[in-house]
Amino acid sequence: MEMMLYHVMAVRINEHDVARRLAGRLLLGGLFCVAHKDDSDRLIFDRRPQNAGESRCPWAELPLGPMLARLRLRSNEGFRGSGDDLRTYFYQLQRHASGLARNAFGRRISGPDVTKYGGVEGSYYRLALCVVGMGDHNAVDFTQEVHVQLLRDFGLCQDATLLRYGKPIPRSALLEGVYIDDHLILLRAEKKDLRKPTGADRDAIETSHAAYAAAQLPRAPEKGFGFARAPTGPDDVPIGDETFTVWGTEVRSELGTAAAPVAKRAELFCLACSALALPRVEKELLRRLVGNFVFPFMHRRECMSVFHRVYKAMGDMTIGAPEHWPADIRDEIGLAALLLPLAVGNLRWPVCQTVTRTDATPSAGGAVACLVSQELSEALYDACEMRGEYVRLDDPLRDEAVWSTMPPPDPAIDTIIRSLPWEATSCHSFKRSSHVNIQELQEIRKAVVDRAGETLDPQKMANGSDSRVAIGCWAKGRSSSYLLDLALIHISEPTR
């Protein structure tokens, strides 16, 4: 208590000023610690009672490591990265005084302690956290927006350079990302310039350091990398790193790859093999094992389609009751483990200049194509849906765009698409009728297979479709619909 008061992390507040529950009891939180480092723990504010009565502020637009797999490099280009980390960032931000009544915690302060800490004898007090506590369900939104706005005040983190998950990748050579207390600077440059100790990324790092100093936010130099790392001596000149790990994703400029670190994927492979060696499997073990595959596979979303029956199988299992491995589930886990080496995004694969559009009905399908400039094909690829959403064939609102979590079509892109001189490349009838969204996926598969048959060089391509269901499950990598996921498995074969 004395340390929190001394460092102004908490203040005393009269019990009469503490917010109350509907039944009249004081609305109090609590504190607990979780292991963090050898010499320190992480302090968590248990604010569940207060959170239950407050709305969420959906402000934060965080980046995600796998989105770096959508970056592009030409054969003569590379990336170098630099990054900073702020020390105890949450507890550096002061909450507004109006929120103290809902941030009270701990036991009553009475007796000699009252006058010791400046209170009035005979009154009762509680401590109230006056900083943003880990445990506040709006803490991430507050801290993220403060960090971004601080850097924007100094000319950084503009919309043309800021990475945000679910939004198109900016086309600038200099990219920035803010993840709560982390700040990433990424520069795309020619290979011959990557080892130079100067550049726009160094200028951005120096500007961010000036911003942190002005706001009195301490950095953690031992966690910095690239231009932000602490020099080891007077002759050591920091320079941007060509291989670095940020937000869980390892970027290798020389190879032109972005993926979960090899060591992490190797550990997951061994873990899956150990689990498959067991005669029985328990629901919680299977759930955690499958969950560990999600992040690596997000670098190659098509790998997610391998989980075809496992989610339904987990739904039928009982926690604490091990069962014999179902043969099909064992196959899916084994195949997922074998796909881990392929879960790598290649940044050097070029975008095909042939843009396609596909459409289908329950009984027929077709496709059109158009050869465009490299710049336009890359712009259309960057605008493709990257997040996806959960879709299913029996969703009664599947055609209602208002319920979609995917961003609406960009009017400018729609105008470009309508004005291109399309040429028909396919028009055929399916051997048997099926649900229109399944046929839409089959038509997308045909466009991918046709393109793969025209060249041996790996490429990325942009395809347009008017099916929200097809786009949603394609971008997500799988679907809860058995039939849609089966179609995705067939689609992913030529893309691996």
Side-chain angles (χ1 to χ4, degrees):
M1 181 173 67
E2 292 183 1
M3 291 293 293
M4 297 186 74
L5 290 171
Y6 175 78
H7 290 287
V8 201
M9 287 183 60
V11 295
R12 56 177 177 77
I13 179 175
N14 196 295
E15 275 194 356
H16 295 297
D17 298 327
V18 177
R20 295 181 178 269
R21 302 171 184 247
L22 294 178
R25 293 168 51 202
L26 293 177
L27 184 63
L28 299 174
L31 299 176
F32 66 92
C33 290
V34 296
H36 181 46
K37 298 178 181 178
D38 293 338
D39 58 349
S40 65
D41 294 330
R42 195 186 295 277
L43 182 65
I44 307 298
F45 184 27
D46 184 0
R47 203 175 179 273
R48 287 174 293 176
Q50 293 92 327
N51 289 341
E54 297 175 358
S55 300
R56 284 296 311 272
C57 297
W59 298 343
E61 293 182 311
L62 300 171
L64 189 68
M67 69 185 298
L68 300 178
R70 289 178 64 96
L71 299 175
R72 294 190 312 277
L73 286 174
R74 304 193 190 281
S75 58
N76 65 331
E77 292 179 334
F79 278 120
R80 68 180 185 186
S82 303
D84 261 314
D85 188 281
L86 298 177
R87 195 183 303 278
T88 59
Y89 177 49
F90 281 78
Y91 299 124
Q92 301 293 332
L93 303 183
Q94 185 176 11
R95 289 187 65 98
H96 193 272
S98 61
L100 292 178
R102 299 184 61 83
N103 266 17
F105 65 92
R107 299 186 180 91
R108 170 184 285 178
I109 301 176
S110 59
D113 288 336
V114 172
T115 54
K116 178 180 179 181
Y117 297 114
V120 178
E121 187 175 356
S123 298
Y124 299 117
Y125 296 87
R126 302 277 179 164
L127 286 183
L129 201 67
C130 58
V131 294
V132 177
M134 294 184 181
D136 187 330
H137 65 175
N138 285 314
V140 169
D141 299 274
F142 295 157
T143 53
Q144 174 74 8
E145 286 303 295
V146 168
H147 195 171
V148 171
Q149 191 57 53
L150 170 64
L151 295 175
R152 280 185 171 173
D153 290 343
F154 281 74
L156 302 176
C157 289
Q158 303 303 309
D159 290 339
T161 62
L162 188 60
L163 294 168
R164 292 170 290 186
Y165 182 56
K167 301 295 179 66
I169 302 290
R171 308 199 70 198
S172 170
L174 180 72
L175 298 174
E176 295 182 77
V178 173
Y179 197 103
I180 309 177
D181 56 352
D182 296 331
H183 180 214
L184 168 71
I185 298 290
L186 196 62
L187 180 69
R188 183 182 72 248
E190 294 187 7
K191 290 181 179 180
K192 61 182 179 63
D193 297 329
L194 291 178
R195 303 306 299 168
K196 292 182 178 180
T198 59
D201 48 348
R202 177 176 180 174
D203 297 338
I205 285 293
E206 292 176 350
T207 301
S208 69
H209 289 180
Y212 298 145
Q216 298 182 357
L217 289 174
R219 297 185 301 110
E222 69 277 6
K223 295 183 179 180
F225 64 92
F227 285 112
R229 70 175 176 83
T232 57
D235 297 329
D236 181 24
V237 179
I239 196 169
D241 292 348
E242 296 181 50
T243 298
F244 55 91
T245 300
V246 62
W247 310 323
T249 293
E250 183 182 49
V251 178
R252 292 176 173 265
S253 175
E254 183 63 31
L255 297 177
T257 60
V262 174
K264 297 291 185 182
R265 285 182 283 147
E267 290 175 358
L268 181 54
F269 179 87
C270 295
L271 180 63
C273 292
S274 299
L276 292 173
L278 299 174
R280 295 172 179 266
V281 63
E282 194 267 338
K283 178 177 182 177
E284 190 64 15
L285 171 63
L286 183 58
R287 184 185 69 82
R288 290 174 179 266
L289 179 61
V290 172
N292 280 322
F293 281 95
V294 174
F295 184 82
F297 282 176
M298 288 184 74
H299 299 85
R300 290 292 298 274
R301 294 269 189 159
E302 58 270 26
C303 295
M304 283 294 298
S305 62
V306 71
F307 295 123
H308 190 43
R309 300 175 184 268
V310 66
Y311 287 104
K312 184 179 185 303
M314 285 192 293
D316 296 336
M317 297 173 69
T318 302
I319 295 179
E323 302 179 10
H324 286 288
W325 274 101
D328 54 347
I329 305 307
R330 185 192 292 268
D331 289 345
E332 289 185 14
I333 298 299
L335 181 56
L338 293 175
L339 286 176
L340 283 171
L342 301 180
V344 178
N346 194 300
L347 313 185
R348 299 195 187 278
W349 287 354
V351 178
C352 177
Q353 288 186 246
T354 300
V355 180
T356 59
R357 290 183 67 186
T358 56
D359 200 1
T361 67
S363 59
V368 294
C370 181
L371 183 64
V372 299
S373 67
Q374 187 67 44
E375 185 178 5
L376 179 56
S377 66
E378 291 177 354
L380 292 175
Y381 177 82
D382 290 339
C384 289
E385 174 62 27
M386 61 177 292
R387 191 169 189 170
E389 64 181 356
Y390 290 107
V391 294
R392 47 187 301 151
L393 292 178
D394 58 352
D395 184 1
L397 298 174
R398 62 178 180 270
D399 297 322
E400 299 292 334
V402 68
W403 295 103
S404 176
T405 59
M406 293 190 295
D410 188 329
I413 294 178
D414 187 62
T415 300
I416 293 173
I417 294 297
R418 291 178 182 273
S419 63
L420 290 176
W422 299 100
E423 294 183 3
T425 58
S426 174
C427 182
H428 62 95
S429 297
F430 294 110
K431 292 182 178 180
R432 63 179 181 180
S433 297
S434 186
H435 194 285
V436 63
N437 287 317
I438 296 177
Q439 305 293 51
E440 293 272 10
L441 277 175
Q442 296 293 357
E443 201 59 33
I444 294 175
R445 176 182 183 273
K446 185 177 183 303
V448 175
V449 171
D450 289 347
R451 183 56 196 163
E454 295 174 2
T455 177
L456 295 177
D457 296 328
Q459 290 182 337
K460 303 174 183 179
M461 60 181 291
N463 178 79
S465 173
D466 62 358
S467 171
R468 183 178 71 86
V469 172
I471 294 176
C473 64
W474 173 272
K476 183 163 284 292
R478 69 171 308 277
S479 170
S480 57
S481 166
Y482 177 84
L483 295 176
L484 285 175
D485 200 60
L486 185 62
L488 284 171
I489 291 175
H490 294 313
I491 290 172
S492 65
E493 291 171 359
T495 65
R496 290 176 185 159

